[in-house]
Amino acid sequence: MPGTTRRAKIKAFAKVNLCLEVLGCRPDGYHDLRTVFQTISLADDLEVGFTPGRQTSVELESSVDIENNLVVRAARAVLEESGAKGLAKFRLKKKIPMGGGLGGGSTDAAAVLIALPVLTGRPIAWERLIDIGSTLGSDVPFFLMGGSAIGLGRGTELYPVADAQAQHVLLVAPRVHVSTAEAYKALGRPLTSVDSLPKINISQLVALAVGGGRIAGDWRDFCSNDFESVVFRQYPEIGEIRRKLEKFGARLARMTGSGAAVFGVFEDVWSMDRASSALRNETVIPISFVSRARYFSAWRKGLSQHIDDNQWPLHSRYSR
Ligand code: C5P
């Protein structure tokens, strides 16, 4: 006899990379990074339902067709790891542009890794969730903590830092899909070596600036994204968007991840609105940075009926 369905509506927030340096290629084919991740207010909507039962299955209804969807892969990984049995059903409303360097697929996967163990009542140790997240994608572990964090190694070695401050941010999503794997290839980085050291020092400056609570616009001089040169060469229109954001007063304008989305940090809402009008032919989304406290509180709110207390990681009320 199947049990009652436990349901939750959650938000899966996107990210930007405040800086992103690609040091060199690793023996496993991935690249060593130095990056600062930041969660932003743009989010996908995910409805999750779990009905305990004897048979295990995973179903997904999505507003866009995505091959090999990370939601399904994450759900299967959670059910297999925890041994929970039943029907896991998801309804995904995609709002995060795909191929934008905004971590859209990764945040959906992380949302499943956080929510599903709460609904099944079969908790998974935090370290295991991070391992499972890493197998799903390099950005997934970041979304298990949100806020501002430094990412090293493949991007999966994370160090939370004080929240970066920025209230008036514009995100521009060009109608261009950049392949992450292709962008890495175009960089043509050799194996990681001691030549990478100056780049490590730059990242330290960014880390100190974030840790010091300085506003994001002040980092302009030492904040870079190594993908900009190769991606702007192939898609000059993305570089043009960055230049426009700067022209209309952005204190800091950068591409995120391997593109194609670009964000601009403004001092006030008026200069942000002026830039937004100048870019009216593009998809322009006003966003704010989401602090770790806000990130955790959104999670608690989404799963409030199914958790016992205010702890993080969340404690399921169904676990014995
Ligand atoms: O881990 P993820 O699936 O997001 O990575 C997509 C592709 O980006 C990888 O197949 C790899 O080519 C490249 N990548 C990389 N080094 C990283 C992260 C991603 O080379 N640190």
Side-chain angles (χ1 to χ4, degrees):
M1 258 267 292
T4 349
T5 305
R6 301 160 187 168
R7 295 177 211 279
K9 278 187 184 181
I10 50 184
K11 288 211 168 294
F13 293 96
K15 61 88 181 156
V16 291
N17 298 84
L18 297 177
C19 74
L20 173 52
E21 292 158 352
V22 184
L23 304 182
C25 194
R26 300 152 41 116
D28 63 5
Y30 283 89
H31 289 75
D32 275 316
L33 308 180
R34 296 289 184 270
T35 187
V36 180
F37 289 111
Q38 174 65 52
T39 33
I40 59 170
S41 51
L42 176 66
D44 286 342
D45 291 325
L46 185 66
E47 286 178 38
V48 190
F50 179 74
T51 319
R54 290 211 187 108
Q55 305 264 324
T56 291
S57 60
V58 176
E59 289 175 16
L60 168 68
E61 194 185 308
S62 172
S63 60
V64 277
D65 260 347
I66 307 164
E67 216 180 298
N68 211 1
N69 198 300
L70 278 172
V71 167
V72 174
R73 287 171 53 200
R76 289 203 179 115
V78 164
L79 296 175
E80 194 180 312
E81 174 76 19
S82 64
K85 288 211 165 12
L87 166 66
K89 227 172 162 172
F90 301 89
R91 186 175 293 149
L92 176 65
K93 195 163 167 208
K94 273 303 296 168
K95 292 186 176 160
I96 306 171
M98 292 190 293
L102 297 162
S106 304
T107 189
D108 296 342
V112 175
L113 296 186
I114 297 173
L116 197 51
V118 170
L119 297 188
T120 60
R122 299 274 191 115
I124 297 177
W126 198 243
E127 306 76 62
R128 272 301 292 151
L129 276 188
I130 293 171
D131 286 347
I132 296 170
S134 312
T135 63
L136 295 167
S138 304
D139 291 342
V140 179
F142 165 67
F143 288 108
L144 297 175
M145 62 169 68
S148 310
I150 296 172
L152 306 181
R154 243 180 85 196
T156 55
E157 195 186 321
L158 293 156
Y159 299 90
V161 287
D163 293 312
Q165 310 286 321
Q167 280 193 331
H168 312 293
V169 186
L170 266 195
L171 185 73
V172 188
R175 284 169 280 273
V176 171
H177 180 112
V178 178
S179 148
T180 306
E182 290 303 317
Y184 272 103
K185 233 185 262 167
L187 281 176
R189 289 280 191 269
L191 284 175
T192 305
S193 71
V194 285
D195 296 341
S196 318
L197 285 175
K199 288 195 158 292
I200 296 174
N201 292 338
I202 301 264
S203 311
Q204 280 173 351
L205 281 175
V206 177
L208 286 172
V210 177
R214 283 169 62 181
I215 62 160
D218 292 343
W219 314 336
R220 191 183 179 129
D221 294 340
F222 40 80
C223 210
S224 62
N225 179 335
D226 284 352
F227 284 112
E228 286 188 343
S229 55
V230 289
V231 174
F232 291 179
R233 209 174 304 136
Q234 199 181 354
Y235 304 102
E237 62 270 38
I238 306 178
E240 191 49 39
I241 289 170
R242 202 195 98 177
R243 269 186 296 281
K244 272 198 185 151
L245 284 168
E246 280 169 347
K247 186 173 155 201
F248 285 92
R251 302 263 306 265
L252 169 76
R254 289 285 174 269
M255 191 175 78
T256 171
S258 56
V262 179
F263 65 96
V265 178
F266 292 85
E267 211 153 342
D268 52 58
V269 71
W270 298 280
S271 49
M272 186 176 90
D273 286 347
R274 268 198 307 275
S276 183
S277 314
L279 287 157
R280 63 183 159 276
N281 293 333
E282 303 289 338
T283 306
V284 178
I285 309 165
I287 54 164
S288 57
F289 287 180
V290 172
S291 66
R292 182 158 304 106
R294 197 172 143 204
Y295 193 74
F296 286 178
S297 118
W299 271 108
R300 285 193 197 101
K301 198 170 149 211
L303 290 164
S304 60
Q305 291 171 36
H306 310 286
I307 53 175
D308 267 339
D309 48 36
N310 259 346
Q311 304 215 15
W312 189 272
L314 302 168
H315 282 185
S316 167
R317 34 183 292 229
Y318 312 113
S319 54
R320 276 157 272 133

